[in-house]
C-alpha cells in the first residue's frame, strides 16, 4: 500500500511545474545571497570628519582612523552642519569634530574635549561606532603624548575562540540551514495536505482502505527525501563556496538534521489538519514561522532578550536546533555536549507527531 | 460604479467570513511590534563570565569586582581549570573566560606586570567583539586606578559622544520602520495575489469574466479590502509604536502616512503582478512568501545594515521596494527630516509602482484559456 502511495506522491511532486525548481534553486539562491547580506558586524563604518585645524596631528589622527579596520570610508566636511547633512542623506554614520587647537593642546598637555556624534537610529551600531572611535582617538593621543613612563605592565590578550577571524559567515551559514529546512520540510507538506483538501482529492483517499498513518507517512517520507536534497545542496555549497564544514562530522550533522525534520514536519501536519484552505494554512504557517525564526537566536542573540521572552523561547524548537547547528559547525561539539538539546528536540518530535495523528480524522 | 461597489462588498464578505485569516492579519502587526520592540535586541547583557585564577590578588580582585559590577556580566560559580572551562564554553555555558597568568600574583608584586587572557566564545563574532571590547575596557580602567599619580598629570583628552536621534539606544527605533515595511508588504502583495489566483484555480474567475463587469474592476475591487486592512494595520503599528514602544513620530505625521500609502500601492501592484504570472495558489504564496518576505527581511536594511553588504548586493537592495520605504520612514519618523529629504525614495517607489502596474496589465488575460 505504502509503495503505491509513495509512487503517487513522488510523481505528483516531480510533475509539479513549480515545486522541484523551488527545492533545487531556493537553497542555492539563499546560500549564495544570504551569508553576504546577513551581517550584523559593526564594520564598514563611514565617518565624516570636521577638521578645523588641518595640522600634522589632525592628519595623523585621520590617517589612523581611515587605516583602522572599522572605518571604510572617510568624508571631509567643512562644518558640523555639513557633516550633519552627510548623516541625513545616509552617506555617513558618525561625525568626529576636531577642535581648532587640537595639536597645540596635545603638545602642551592641555585638557581638551573632542566631540563625536553617531547616528543611533540603529542604537547598537551607533554606540559601538562611538566606542571604536573613542578608543582610536584615545590610543592616538597616548601615542602622541607618550611620556616614557610606563603603566603597570598588564598585558591583555584577547582571543575569540572557535572563530578567531571573527567571520560572520561562519555564524550565519549553519543558521541558514535551519531556515531552509523549516521552509522545505515544515511548509511544503502542510501545503500539500491542504491542497488535497481544497481540491477534494482527500475525500477520495478517505473512502479508500488507506490508513491514516500510511497516508500521512507517504507524504512525510517524500518531504524527508526533499529535506535530504536540501541538506546536501546546502552542505556542498557551504563547503565549496564558503569553506565551512561541520566540525563535528557529517554523521552527526545528518542525524540531528533528521531529528529536526521530524519536528517541523509534525508541526506542519498539525497546522494543515486545522486549516481548511491553503490561504489559512499559509498564514498560520507564516505567523508561527516568523515568530519562531525571530525568537530562535538566528538573527539576534537569545541572551540579549528580556527574561520573559527568553522563557518563551524555551518552547521554540528552532532555538534548540539553531544552537545545535552552530555547535556542530563552529564548536565541533559531540553528542554528549548536546544531550539537553537533543532530548528537548526529541520531545518536540513526539509531541507534534502525536498531536498530528490525533487531530487527523478520516471521517468529517 | 454600482457594479464595482457590489464587487467590493463581495470581497469584503470573502475576507470577513474567514475569521482565522482576518485574525492573523490583524494580530500579526501587534505580535511583531511587541516582539521587535521588546524582545529583539542585539545589545550585550548577562554575559556568563568565568574567572580562572590561582590565588587571589588585590589587582585581580579589583578587576573581577569591576567586571561583575558592570551590567553586562554575570558570574559562573565554578572552580574550573582551564580545560574544564573550555568544555563549559563548548557546551555554551560560559561566554567569557578571564584567565590570569599562572604567576600573576608573583609578577604583580615583583615587577608590577602580569598577563590576563580573555577568551570569548567567538561563535557569534558580533557578540564576541563586543564582549572583548567591554571587558578589556573595564580591565584597562581598573589598571589605571592603580597607576602611580605621576601619570595622571598629562593633558586629559575627554571625548563626548552624542547618540543622534536615539540617545537611549532603543532597538525599537531601528526595527519599527522595518516591521512596517514587512507587514504592509506581506498583507498587500500576498493577500491580493492569493485572492486573485484562487478565483483562477477554483474556476470562479471564468464566471466573473463572463459577467458584465469590466475585468479591470474585478481586479480593482479585490485590492480595495486589502488596502483598507493595510490602513488599519498601519494605524495599529503607529499607535503601538508611539504609545507602547515610545518611538515618537518626530517628523510630519501627514507625510509619513502619505509615504505609507504610496508603499501600500506599490505592494498592491506587486501582488497583481504575481497573480497575473501564476496559476496556482501554492505558487503565488510561495513566490510572495519566499521571494518577497525574505528579501524584505534580509535586503531591505530592516535587520542587517545595507552598508555592510558587498557592492553587488547593495545594488540589488535598490530593487527591493521595502528598502526605499524603510529608508523614508526612518528619515521622516525617527530622524524628523523634512519631505525634501525623501524625494528620491518617493520617486523610486512611484517608478516601481508604474512598472509593476504596466507589466501586470500587459499580462492580465481577459480571455478564457
Amino acid at each position: 500500500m505504502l509503495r503505491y502511495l509513495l509512487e503517487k506522491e513522488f510523481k505528483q511532486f516531480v510533475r509539479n511545474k513549480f515545486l522541484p525548481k523551488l527545492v533545487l534553486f531556493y537553497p542555492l539562491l539563499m546560500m549564495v545571497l544570504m551569508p553576504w547580506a546577513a551581517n550584523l558586524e559593526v564594520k564598514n563604518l563611514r565617518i565624516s570628519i570636521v577638521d578645523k585645524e588641518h595640522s600634522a596631528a589632525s592628519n595623523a589622527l585621520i590617517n589612523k582612523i581611515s587605516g583602522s579596520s572599522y572605518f571604510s570610508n572617510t568624508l571631509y566636511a567643512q562644518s558640523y552642519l555639513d557633516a550633519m547633512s552627510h548623516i541625513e542623506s545616509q552617506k555617513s554614520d558618525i561625525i568626529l569634530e576636531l577642535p581648532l587647537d587640537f595639536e597645540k593642546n596635545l603638545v602642551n598637555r592641555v585638557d581638551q574635549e573632542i566631540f563625536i556624534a553617531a547616528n543611533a537610529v540603529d542604537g547598537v551600531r551607533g554606540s559601538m561606532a562611538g566606542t571604536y572611535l573613542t578608543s582610536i582617538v584615545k590610543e592616538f593621543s597616548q601615542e602622541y603624548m607618550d611620556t616614557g613612563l610606563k603603566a603597570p605592565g598588564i598585558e591583555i590578550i584577547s582571543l575569540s575562540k572557535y572563530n578567531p577571524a571573527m567571520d560572520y559567515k561562519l555564524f550565519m551559514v549553519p543558521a541558514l540551514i535551519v531556515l531552509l529546512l523549516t521552509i522545505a520540510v515544515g511548509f511544503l507538506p502542510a501545503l500539500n495536505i491542504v491542497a488535497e483538501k481544497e481540491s477534494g482529492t482527500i475525500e477520495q483517499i478517505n473512502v479508500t482502505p488507506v490508513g491514516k498513518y500510511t497516508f500521512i507517512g507517504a507524504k512525510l517520507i517524500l518531504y524527508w527525501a526533499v529535506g535530504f536534497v536540501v541538506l546536501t545542496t546546502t552542505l556542498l555549497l557551504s563547503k565549496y563556496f564558503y569553506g565551512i564544514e561541520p566540525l563535528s562530522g557529517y554523521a552527526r550533522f545528518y542525524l540531528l538534521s533528521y531529528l529536526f525534520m521530524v519536528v517541523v514536519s509534525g508541526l506542519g501536519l498539525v497546522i494543515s489538519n486545522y486549516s481548511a484552505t491553503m490561504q489559512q494554512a499559509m498564514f498560520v504557517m507564516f505567523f508561527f514561522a516568523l515568530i519562531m525564526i525571530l525568537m530562535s537566536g538566528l538573527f539576534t542573540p537569545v541572551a540579549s532578550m528580556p527574561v520573559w521572552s527568553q522563557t518563551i523561547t524555551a518552547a521554540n524548537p528552532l532555538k534548540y536546533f539553531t544552537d545545535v547547528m552552530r555547535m556542530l559547525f563552529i564548536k565541533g561539539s559531540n553528542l554528549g555536549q548536546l544531550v539537553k538539546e537533543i532530548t528537548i528536540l526529541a520531545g518536540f518530535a513526539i509531541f507534534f507527531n502525536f498531536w498530528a495523528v490525533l487531530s487527523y480524522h478520516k471521517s468529517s | 460604479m454600482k457594479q464595482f461597489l457590489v464587487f467590493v462588498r463581495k470581497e469584503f464578505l470573502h475576507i470577513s467570513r474567514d475569521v482565522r485569516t482576518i485574525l492573523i492579519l490583524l494580530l500579526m502587526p501587534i505580535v511583531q511590534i511587541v516582539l521587535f520592540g521588546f524582545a529583539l535586541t542585539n545589545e550585550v547583557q548577562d554575559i556568563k563570565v568565568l574567572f580562572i585564577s590561582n590565588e587571589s590578588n588585590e589587582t585581580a580582585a579589583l578587576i573581577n569586582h569591576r567586571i561583575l559590577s558592570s551590567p553586562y556580566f554575570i558570574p559562573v560559580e565554578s572552580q574550573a581549570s582551564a580545560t574544564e572551562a573550555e568544555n563549559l564554553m563548548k557546551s555554551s555555558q560560559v561566554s567569557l573566560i578571564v584567565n590570569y597568568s599562572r604567576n600573576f600574583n608573583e609578577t604583580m608584586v615583583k615587577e608590577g606586570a602580569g598577563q590576563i587572557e580573555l577568551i570569548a566564545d567567538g561563535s557569534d563574532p558580533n557578540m564576541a567583539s563586543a564582549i572583548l571590547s567591554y571587558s578589556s575596557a573595564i580591565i584597562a580602567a581598573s589598571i589605571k586606578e592603580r597607576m602611580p599619580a605621576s601619570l595622571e598629570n598629562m593633558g586629559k583628552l575627554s571625548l563626548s559622544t552624542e547618540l543622534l536621534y536615539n540617545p537611549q539606544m532603543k532597538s525599537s527605533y531601528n526595527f519599527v520602520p522595518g516591521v512596517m515595511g514587512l507587514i504592509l508588504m506581506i498583507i498587500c502583495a500576498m493577500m491580493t495575489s492569493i485572492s486573485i489566483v484562487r478565483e483562477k484555480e477554483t474556476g470562479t474567475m471564468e464566471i466573473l469574466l463572463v459577467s458584465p463587469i469590466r475585468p479591470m474592476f474585478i481586479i480593482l475591487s479585490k485590492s480595495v479590502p486589502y488596502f483598507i486592512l493595510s490602513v488599519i494595520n498601519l494605524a495599529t503599528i503607529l499607535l503601538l509604536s508611539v504609545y507602547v514602544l515610545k518611538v515618537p513620530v518626530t517628523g510630519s505625521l501627514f507625510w509619513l502616512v502619505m509615504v505609507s500609502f504610496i508603499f501600500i500601492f506599490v505592494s498592491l501592484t506587486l501582488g497583481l503582478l504575481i497573480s497575473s504570472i501564476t496559476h496556482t495558489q501554492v505558487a503565488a504564496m510561495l513566490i510572495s512568501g519566499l521571494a518577497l518576505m525574505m528579501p524584505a527581511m534580509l535586503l531591505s536594511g530592516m535587520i542587517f545594515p545595507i552598508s555592510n553588504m558587498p557592492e553587488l548586493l547593495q545594488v540589488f537592495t535598490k530593487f527591493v521596494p521595502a528598502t526605499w520605504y524603510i529608508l523614508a520612514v526612518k528619515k521622516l519618523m525617527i530622524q524628523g527630516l523634512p519631505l525634501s529629504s525623501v524625494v528620491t525614495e518617493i520617486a523610486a517607489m512611484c517608478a516601481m509602482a508604474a512598472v509593476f502596474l504596466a507589466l501586470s496589465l500587459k499580462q492580465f488575460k481577459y480571455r478564457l484559456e
Side-chain angles (χ1 to χ4, degrees):
Chain A
M1 186 86 82
L2 184 65
R3 221 187 58 164
Y4 296 112
L5 274 174
L6 273 177
E7 195 184 334
K8 157 193 172 287
E9 295 295 342
F10 274 91
K11 272 188 182 157
Q12 252 180 348
F13 183 81
V14 174
R15 287 180 188 166
N16 188 304
K17 255 198 236 161
F18 185 73
L19 287 178
K21 284 184 212 148
L22 179 89
V23 166
L24 281 180
F25 290 110
Y26 194 67
L28 200 79
L29 188 76
M30 289 289 280
M31 283 296 285
V32 172
L33 277 187
M34 255 279 290
W36 299 96
N39 191 340
L40 269 179
E41 277 171 307
V42 185
K43 266 189 184 169
N44 299 311
L45 294 162
R46 296 154 305 170
I47 183 169
S48 286
I49 295 176
V50 187
D51 182 5
K52 291 181 181 153
E53 194 183 48
H54 295 288
S55 62
S58 68
N59 275 334
L61 174 59
I62 292 171
N63 280 336
K64 191 175 168 73
I65 293 169
S66 347
S68 84
S69 57
Y70 302 119
F71 296 93
S72 66
N73 197 5
T74 316
L75 292 168
Y76 297 94
Q78 297 304 320
S79 63
Y80 182 71
L81 272 182
D82 192 21
M84 265 313 273
S85 76
H86 289 159
I87 293 237
E88 285 174 1
S89 56
Q90 318 284 331
K91 284 191 196 120
S92 152
D93 302 302
I94 190 166
I95 301 173
L96 173 69
E97 195 178 25
L98 295 175
L100 207 48
D101 298 322
F102 180 62
E103 184 169 17
K104 206 173 91 193
N105 288 341
L106 275 181
V107 173
N108 297 335
R109 310 257 159 84
V110 177
D111 289 2
Q112 62 176 329
E113 201 179 32
I114 290 178
F115 183 68
I116 295 172
N119 181 352
V121 172
D122 181 342
V124 174
R125 193 172 166 82
S127 79
M128 287 297 279
T131 314
Y132 290 150
L133 190 54
T134 308
S135 71
I136 293 177
V137 175
K138 282 232 156 118
E139 202 182 299
F140 172 80
S141 76
Q142 257 150 31
E143 282 166 17
Y144 202 87
M145 300 191 288
D146 189 20
T147 47
L149 282 169
K150 281 264 182 289
I154 293 186
E155 197 187 346
I156 304 174
I157 303 170
S158 295
L159 179 72
S160 154
K161 207 159 164 54
Y162 309 119
N163 189 359
M166 299 237 180
D167 182 4
Y168 211 78
K169 292 191 194 72
L170 181 56
F171 179 62
M172 282 316 289
V173 165
L176 193 56
I177 298 177
V178 182
L179 197 69
L180 289 171
L181 274 187
T182 312
I183 291 172
V185 189
F187 270 41
L188 295 183
L191 289 181
N192 179 304
I193 289 183
V194 185
E196 296 234 21
K197 274 193 197 172
E198 220 172 2
S199 63
T201 44
I202 204 160
E203 305 251 322
Q204 291 165 2
I205 298 283
N206 283 346
V207 294
T208 60
V210 175
K212 61 180 179 179
Y213 296 100
T214 332
F215 175 64
I216 292 180
K219 289 198 184 296
L220 284 184
I221 290 172
L222 168 73
Y223 284 98
W224 291 340
V226 166
F228 182 78
V229 174
V230 171
L231 269 184
T232 311
T233 327
T234 49
L235 205 57
L236 286 175
L237 278 171
S238 81
K239 185 174 173 188
Y240 292 106
F241 205 70
Y242 299 106
I244 296 170
E245 278 180 277
L247 278 183
S248 301
Y250 293 99
R252 280 180 221 162
F253 169 76
Y254 275 103
L255 185 75
L256 294 177
S257 300
Y258 264 88
L259 178 61
F260 178 68
M261 279 191 225
V262 177
V263 177
V264 278
S265 56
L267 178 65
L269 287 181
V270 170
I271 290 176
S272 74
N273 284 344
Y274 286 99
S275 308
T277 63
M278 271 193 265
Q279 201 178 2
Q280 273 182 356
M282 197 71 181
F283 268 99
V284 178
M285 268 286 189
F286 264 125
F287 186 72
F288 284 113
L290 212 58
I291 295 176
M292 290 195 312
I293 289 171
L294 292 176
M295 305 280 280
S296 67
L298 226 147
F299 296 134
T300 57
V302 173
S304 301
M305 296 177 182
V307 179
W308 62 265
S309 65
Q310 286 196 32
T311 320
I312 299 178
T313 59
N316 181 2
L318 261 70
K319 182 212 157 205
Y320 299 101
F321 191 57
T322 310
D323 286 350
V324 167
M325 274 293 158
R326 288 201 171 128
M327 284 160 95
L328 286 181
F329 268 81
I330 308 172
K331 296 187 182 172
S333 306
N334 56 35
L335 291 183
Q337 281 151 335
L338 291 168
V339 165
K340 189 184 126 208
E341 282 82 3
I342 295 173
T343 325
I344 294 172
L345 278 176
F348 274 119
I350 295 168
F351 173 72
F352 283 130
N353 286 291
F354 199 62
W355 187 5
V357 170
L358 279 185
S359 57
Y360 175 71
H361 303 289
K362 280 185 80 174
S363 53
S364 51
Chain B
M1 199 59 204
K2 194 174 159 238
Q3 283 172 329
F4 178 65
L5 289 178
V6 170
F7 260 78
V8 171
R9 188 159 168 262
K10 159 192 169 287
E11 289 304 326
F12 264 114
L13 290 179
H14 253 305
I15 302 178
S16 62
R17 285 185 186 164
D18 185 355
V19 180
R20 195 175 334 184
T21 308
I22 202 159
L23 257 183
I24 284 178
L25 286 183
L26 294 176
L27 270 180
M28 189 139 72
I30 298 175
V31 173
Q32 283 210 344
I33 282 284
V34 171
L35 275 188
F36 271 109
F38 293 114
L40 296 183
T41 69
N42 40 9
E43 285 160 43
V44 175
Q45 61 167 32
D46 293 352
I47 305 300
K48 287 167 277 185
V49 56
L50 180 70
F51 298 97
I52 305 177
S53 70
N54 297 345
E55 301 110 297
S56 61
N57 157 292
E58 223 178 305
T59 313
L62 177 74
I63 291 173
N64 293 1
H65 176 72
R66 280 294 134 80
I67 289 181
L68 290 180
S69 51
S70 90
Y72 305 120
F73 298 95
I74 48 171
V76 173
E77 301 295 346
S78 163
Q79 295 292 326
S81 68
T83 36
E84 282 161 1
E86 275 184 29
N87 271 333
L88 284 176
M89 186 174 272
K90 221 171 198 176
S91 52
S92 299
Q93 291 171 40
V94 168
S95 306
L96 174 70
I97 301 173
V98 181
N99 191 2
Y100 296 95
S101 54
R102 190 176 305 155
N103 42 5
F104 187 78
N105 243 350
E106 215 175 297
T107 51
M108 274 308 285
V109 175
K110 276 191 195 152
E111 307 151 34
Q115 199 185 50
I116 303 171
E117 199 181 21
L118 297 175
I119 305 170
D121 181 352
S123 35
D124 181 344
N126 209 25
M127 279 295 246
S129 79
I131 293 174
L132 288 176
S133 81
Y134 286 143
S135 52
S136 48
I138 294 173
I139 295 178
S142 351
I143 293 172
K144 216 173 187 178
E145 258 177 60
R146 301 181 63 84
M147 260 197 321
S150 58
L151 282 172
E152 294 281 317
N153 293 333
M154 54 193 221
K156 259 189 228 138
L157 187 79
S158 52
L159 290 109
S160 65
T161 306
E162 186 190 349
L163 295 173
L164 298 167
Y165 313 120
N166 182 8
Q168 291 164 293
M169 289 180 21
K170 285 198 203 160
S171 53
S172 42
Y173 279 56
N174 189 35
F175 286 135
V176 162
V179 176
M180 285 168 72
L182 188 66
I183 302 260
L184 295 180
M185 184 90 182
I186 293 180
I187 290 170
C188 304
M190 192 149 108
M191 294 301 297
T192 340
S193 65
I194 292 170
S195 77
I196 295 176
V197 177
R198 180 157 55 181
E199 303 258 16
K200 279 194 199 170
E201 204 177 312
T202 52
T204 43
M205 195 57 150
E206 301 211 353
I207 301 169
L208 296 181
L209 282 176
V210 295
S211 70
I213 190 169
R214 288 179 51 193
M216 205 47 236
F217 281 159
I218 302 178
I219 304 295
L220 271 182
S221 63
K222 284 209 168 278
S223 31
V224 172
Y226 295 111
F227 182 80
I228 292 175
L229 263 179
S230 313
V231 174
I232 297 176
N233 280 331
L234 181 66
T236 340
I237 297 175
L238 283 180
L239 286 174
L240 278 174
S241 58
V242 172
Y243 291 105
V244 180
L245 299 185
K246 314 277 184 224
V247 181
V249 179
T250 34
S252 139
L253 180 64
F254 174 75
W255 287 113
L256 179 62
V257 173
M258 280 330 254
V259 168
S260 305
F261 279 174
I262 298 178
F263 181 66
I264 293 175
F265 184 68
V266 178
S267 312
L268 286 174
T269 53
L270 195 56
L272 287 184
L273 181 62
I274 294 174
S275 69
S276 60
I277 55 174
T278 50
H279 298 281
T280 60
Q281 285 185 72
V282 179
M285 276 181 239
L286 290 176
I287 286 186
S288 43
L290 302 181
L292 291 182
M293 195 168 101
M294 282 302 154
M297 269 172 81
L298 293 172
L299 295 176
S300 65
M302 172 187 180
I303 303 179
F304 304 108
I306 292 180
S307 57
N308 267 1
M309 298 174 195
E311 292 286 327
L312 186 70
L313 269 189
Q314 292 200 18
V315 176
F316 245 65
T317 59
K318 300 224 171 1
F319 294 98
V320 179
T323 308
W324 298 102
Y325 177 65
I326 292 173
L327 208 56
V329 174
K330 276 185 184 165
K331 284 182 178 176
L332 287 175
M333 186 168 168
I334 315 282
Q335 294 178 271
L337 300 180
L339 181 69
S340 57
S341 65
V342 292
V343 173
T344 335
E345 285 82 4
I346 294 180
M349 284 194 278
C350 291
M352 283 179 182
V355 171
F356 293 148
L357 199 61
L359 278 179
S360 51
L361 284 182
K362 201 167 157 257
Q363 287 284 325
F364 186 74
K365 302 196 174 55
Y366 299 101
R367 305 274 161 205
L368 304 179
E369 279 166 46

